[in-house]
Every structure is written in structure tokens, then in C-alpha cells.
Amino acid sequence: MADKTKKALCAVNLMLTVFTAVMCFVYRANYSIVLKAVTASGFVLMGAVNLGYTFFAKKKILFPLLIFFGLSLCMAGDVVLFNDFIAGALIFVLGHLLYIAAYCVLCKPAWRDVIVTVAVSLVSVLFVTLYPAFSYGSFLMTAVAVVYALVISFMLGKALSNAIRSKDGVSLTLLAGSVMFFVSDLALAFSIFGGDPSWASPLCMFTYFPGQCVIAFSVYLYNIKKQLP
């Protein structure tokens, strides 16, 4: 990739990240489903731009493709979640599964993945089921919370395992984005099921949207790597 093209693509990623960050403040001040969709469109556009360049750079397409569709499902989950929590959560689960698949494409599954993922999952499930502040109101909502905790723990666990193994820019960026996604979901759980403390909603918003931008940016880093994973 020519240096000028790299700089131009990086600039586009930066502009879309700034757009998403600004829209976070706009959306928080004027809570509406339209503004939520517009805010989420920033990271989807980042994924689309970076995916588009993957074709021209003649890189392997599966990782960028999975990330792009994961970003798209997260945007869809955002919109649906506005009116239907369970349906939105299920769409987010699908998005997480695509991210997990992308992480597995980046670094083939290994025994370290199992160890790290089980550890993260165990802590997550115990927390969402035993923390006294959480009240789900029904067996169905408890089950949804547990399933969601397992899926996002698998995502974070695989990202952590990849970063430990390869320590390259793509894996470290994905780990940062996955941690932000994990924190945003934890904050969302407090907001909906844990008494809605004052810090929960802003923490959820300002880790979720930027976190998705970080995940989308990993495709840019993937495209400019000299060697494929």
C-alpha cells in the first residue's frame, strides 16, 4: 500500500472516529433511536471503508468481512435494543459470534484459548448471577444475561489469548476494543438490572461506541501489514 494511500485511509478512519465520538454527546443530550443509529453508523462506515480497501490491497478477505458484518449486526442490535431488549441482545450475540469467528481466523484456535476463555467466562457468569445488586425479574432474563455473559466472555477471552500469542498491532487493537465492549456491556447490565447508578449509562455509551471504532480500526491495521497472519 502506498504511503499516501495509507495516510488518506488513516485520516478517514480518524474522521469517522471523531464523528462517532461527537455523536455520542449529541445522542446523550437528545436521546432518540435515529440519533443512536446515526452514531452507530460511524463505526459501520469505518468497517466498510477498511473492507473496501482489503479488496484493492489483495489481502485475505475473511477477517475483514467477519468484522464488517459484526459491526453491522451491532448497529442493528443498537436500533432494536431501543425498543426490545431481548431481541436486541440476541442480535448482539450474533455480532459477538462473528467477532469470535474473526479472531479465530486471525489466530487459529489453540489450547491457550480454552484456558483463558474459561477463566474469563467463569468470573463473568459468577458475577452476573451472584452480585446482589442485579435483579433480573424472571428466569428468562436471567438466562439471557448468562448466555450473553458467556458469549462476550468468549470474545474477550479469545482476544486476550490472541494478544498474548502474537503481540502484534492488530491483535492488541482488537483486545483494546474487546475490553471496551466488555466494559460497556457490564455498565449496561448495571444500568438495566443493577439499580441504574449515575455512572452506568455514560460509561456504557463512552466505552461502547469508541470500542466499536477501535475494532473497526483493526481492519485498517490488518490491511497495512506487510505479512498476512
Side-chain angles (χ1 to χ4, degrees), residues 2-185:
D3 287 341
K4 288 184 178 180
T5 307
K6 288 181 183 179
K7 291 178 181 179
L9 193 59
C10 187
V12 171
N13 276 267
L14 178 59
M15 287 188 293
L16 287 171
T17 300
V18 171
F19 167 80
T20 304
V22 170
M23 284 304 304
C24 283
F25 289 97
V26 175
Y27 169 54
R28 181 161 175 77
N30 302 275
Y31 192 68
S32 75
I33 191 170
V34 173
L35 287 176
K36 191 175 190 182
V38 172
T39 306
S41 71
F43 60 72
V44 175
L45 285 172
M46 282 182 68
V49 168
N50 294 329
L51 173 63
Y53 196 84
T54 304
F55 291 96
F56 294 100
K58 298 181 180 179
K59 299 284 187 176
K60 292 181 179 178
I61 197 64
L62 187 55
F63 168 74
L65 197 64
L66 289 168
I67 292 293
F68 171 71
F69 283 118
L71 293 166
S72 300
L73 280 175
C74 286
M75 179 179 175
D78 270 330
V79 174
V80 174
L81 193 68
F82 199 90
N83 294 314
D84 189 328
F85 178 81
I86 293 181
L90 291 176
I91 294 173
F92 266 112
V93 165
L94 295 176
H96 286 309
L97 291 175
L98 287 181
Y99 284 155
I100 293 168
Y103 298 178
C104 289
V105 169
L106 199 64
C107 293
K108 292 182 179 179
W111 280 110
R112 181 190 288 110
D113 299 344
V114 177
I115 297 170
V116 175
T117 300
V118 167
V120 175
S121 299
L122 182 61
V123 172
S124 296
V125 171
L126 288 175
F127 185 78
V128 299
T129 54
L130 299 179
Y131 190 72
F134 290 146
S135 177
Y136 300 105
S138 69
F139 174 79
L140 176 60
M141 291 305 298
T142 302
V144 170
V146 170
V147 169
Y148 197 93
L150 283 172
V151 173
I152 195 168
S153 295
F154 271 70
M155 174 187 163
L156 178 59
K158 178 56 177 168
L160 177 58
S161 182
N162 284 1
I164 293 171
R165 188 192 314 181
S166 65
K167 299 181 179 66
D168 66 354
V170 179
S171 294
L172 291 173
T173 300
L174 285 172
L175 175 59
S178 298
V179 169
M180 295 173 75
F181 205 165
F182 186 90
V183 170
S184 73
D185 280 339

